[in-house]
Amino acid sequence: MQNLQVLGGISAAEFFAEYWQKKPLLVKNALPDVKGLLVPNDILELAQEEGVTARLLTQQGASNEQWKVKNSPLNAKDFKKLPPLWTLLVQALDHFSPEVAQLWQHFDFIPQWRRDDIMVSYAPKGGSVGRHYDQYDVFLVQAYGKRRWQLGQYCTPDCELIPNQPLRLLPDMDVHFDEILEPGDLLYVPPTLSHYGVAEDNCLTLSFGFRMPDSTQLLDQFTDHLLSKPDTQIPVADLAARSIQSAGEVSPTDLAMLKQQVIQLLQHTSYFDEAALSLLTETKYPDSLPENESLSPEELKELLEEGAIIQREPATRLLYRHTEQAQLEFWAQGEKLDVPAALTPILKRLADGEPLNLQSLDLQSVEADQLLAMFCDLYEDAIVLVYIPE
């Protein structure tokens, strides 16, 4: 088992057994890569760009207890005459920076389909988003400046919240953890654990979020998927053992019979798997998908020879599964991809997070033309990113 620097020298197996969704983990200097990667002005400028999802939070009133939230689009005027305490949140930073997107590689021990996005929080001294809890796993990484983090109790959906606020804020916390994070430091916070981060100075904090779909999302996607299946558009069979009953009654046997037929449909592996893969590969922030112009195989080859890198488009999930025929089936943007069998091994490497360049691609093989053509199609569909590092 490989020990990982991002986890403080423990293995992924140890992390899952002892910490994952159980208790927090603090690792000093876990991601030295982030030092110098971003400065506050980068985030202020990005927040004002078209298509960026951002929120500006301010604390006002005599005791700074009244919160206000301004959602994107934001402009320069929004950042004038701000109160002393404010925070800027920008979602999906990884969709706009290939360098930030590459930080996901440190977390490749967690399946890609669990990823949400990398959010960045910018705040001057004293800024925060209040005491709160999240329903997802998050790795908080300090990228610039310092932030003090306090952790408290685990919360439930019926936990008391401060009334009349635009955010879900807790009135207090039973603090059992109190640490200051510096650039490169990492703090893992499990779902529903209350936490409170306050900027010690001008600071940037990256939040690597890992979410699960909820049951309603899965069922909605499943039923939508069934609408395309003719065999589900006929009445269910009446399988109840009929006996004499009152005309107006729906018996427990009737209800159990109907429920069982729905359960059997849910257990139809192919239908459910297809619906789940479609949901898991949907783009959460479609506005951040680039509108790429067409690229010819010859142009792509020239770019690779100039040092270009091909990697997953950060705004797109590229996933695969092993079929019953022992083949790989790829999905992206809610749809199954048509991938030639000979090219599946190299696309698997890309889906698993490996950036590809001229050295790692065998363009001398008989499939070279087919390979370049496939990547050109994937680039035009915003499934892969092609860029030359600065």
Side-chain angles (χ1 to χ4, degrees), residues 275-326:
L277 284 161
S278 178
L279 174 64
L280 296 178
T281 56
E282 282 185 351
T283 300
K284 183 178 179 182
Y285 298 99
D287 287 347
S288 60
L289 280 173
E291 295 182 3
N292 295 329
E293 297 181 357
S294 60
L295 188 67
S296 71
E298 294 76 21
E299 290 171 328
L300 177 56
K301 186 176 181 181
E302 288 180 10
L303 287 171
L304 289 168
E305 290 171 347
E306 294 172 11
I309 289 175
I310 301 174
Q311 68 181 52
R312 293 180 312 223
E313 165 55 50
T316 297
R317 285 176 175 171
L318 174 62
L319 305 177
Y320 62 84
R321 67 164 175 167
H322 292 270
T323 67
E324 293 179 354
Q325 293 76 32

Side-chain angles (χ1 to χ4, degrees), residues 99-366:
E99 291 76 21
V100 170
Q102 286 181 356
L103 295 174
W104 278 120
Q105 295 176 30
H106 294 283
F107 301 96
D108 275 347
F109 56 92
I110 303 171
Q112 183 204 148
W113 69 265
R114 289 281 274 105
R115 296 177 186 174
D116 190 30
D117 69 341
I118 301 177
M119 184 187 76
V120 61
S121 169
Y122 169 41
K125 183 175 181 179
S128 81
V129 297
R131 299 172 181 85
H132 67 286
Y133 70 95
D134 300 309
Q135 295 284 5
Y136 53 89
D137 301 271
V138 63
F139 293 85
L140 301 166
V141 177
Q142 197 61 26
Y144 184 95
K146 300 178 183 178
R147 191 183 290 267
R148 179 185 180 186
W149 283 102
Q150 293 179 324
L151 305 180
Q153 71 278 11
Y154 284 89
C155 301
T156 60
D158 57 358
C159 278
E160 180 186 359
L161 300 174
I162 300 176
N164 304 317
Q165 297 287 1
L167 302 168
R168 293 173 53 82
L169 301 177
L170 300 167
D172 51 46
M173 283 183 4
D174 180 16
V175 177
H176 60 79
F177 173 100
D178 194 333
E179 294 282 350
I180 294 177
L181 268 64
E182 300 178 301
D185 294 349
L186 171 147
L187 177 63
Y188 164 68
V189 181
T192 73
L193 181 64
S194 57
H195 48 288
Y196 181 39
V198 180
E200 293 282 297
D201 50 23
N202 265 15
C203 81
L204 298 175
T205 304
L206 300 178
S207 298
F208 294 76
F210 289 84
R211 288 183 185 269
M212 287 285 285
D214 61 46
S215 300
T216 301
Q217 288 177 303
L218 284 168
L219 285 173
D220 281 348
Q221 190 79 14
F222 184 59
T223 52
D224 286 347
H225 186 66
L226 293 182
L227 292 175
S228 67
K229 306 298 180 183
D231 60 328
T232 67
Q233 307 303 305
I234 56 177
V236 297
D238 186 351
L239 302 178
R242 287 279 154 233
S243 59
I244 302 299
Q245 65 189 62
S246 300
E249 179 187 8
V250 181
S251 71
T253 301
D254 292 333
L255 291 172
M257 177 266 294
L258 294 171
K259 178 181 178 181
Q260 185 57 39
Q261 295 200 58
V262 172
I263 291 173
Q264 288 177 355
L265 194 57
L266 278 169
Q267 292 174 336
H268 192 303
T269 302
S270 176
Y271 288 174
F272 181 82
D273 290 355
E274 290 170 2
L277 284 161
S278 178
L279 174 64
L280 296 178
T281 56
E282 282 185 351
T283 300
K284 183 178 179 182
Y285 298 99
D287 287 347
S288 60
L289 280 173
E291 295 182 3
N292 295 329
E293 297 181 357
S294 60
L295 188 67
S296 71
E298 294 76 21
E299 290 171 328
L300 177 56
K301 186 176 181 181
E302 288 180 10
L303 287 171
L304 289 168
E305 290 171 347
E306 294 172 11
I309 289 175
I310 301 174
Q311 68 181 52
R312 293 180 312 223
E313 165 55 50
T316 297
R317 285 176 175 171
L318 174 62
L319 305 177
Y320 62 84
R321 67 164 175 167
H322 292 270
T323 67
E324 293 179 354
Q325 293 76 32
Q327 296 176 336
L328 292 182
E329 179 182 280
F330 290 85
W331 288 72
Q333 297 179 5
E335 297 181 353
K336 183 168 64 173
L337 303 181
D338 183 13
V339 181
L343 303 184
T344 57
I346 198 158
L347 194 57
K348 177 182 181 297
R349 288 164 55 193
L350 194 75
D352 285 336
E354 180 184 344
L356 303 175
N357 57 23
L358 186 64
Q359 287 68 41
S360 58
L361 294 170
D362 182 11
L363 297 186
Q364 305 304 316
S365 68
V366 293

Side-chain angles (χ1 to χ4, degrees), residues 28-102:
K28 304 295 288 185
N29 202 34
L31 264 75
D33 309 33
V34 304
K35 298 177 185 178
L37 187 60
L38 299 165
V39 295
N41 275 346
D42 296 335
I43 305 308
L44 283 173
E45 292 174 3
L46 178 63
Q48 298 173 53
E49 291 186 10
E50 185 179 354
V52 173
T53 302
R55 289 174 289 164
L56 180 60
L57 283 56
T58 56
Q59 293 173 253
Q60 301 181 349
S63 55
N64 296 312
E65 292 181 353
Q66 181 58 49
W67 295 73
K68 289 188 177 181
V69 178
K70 173 71 187 298
N71 293 310
S72 53
L74 302 174
N75 55 52
K77 186 178 178 181
D78 294 313
F79 296 96
K80 293 180 179 178
K81 297 182 180 180
L82 286 171
L85 301 183
W86 57 274
T87 293
L88 173 64
L89 304 176
V90 178
Q91 299 291 155
L93 179 64
D94 47 323
H95 297 184
F96 302 97
S97 168
E99 291 76 21
V100 170
Q102 286 181 356

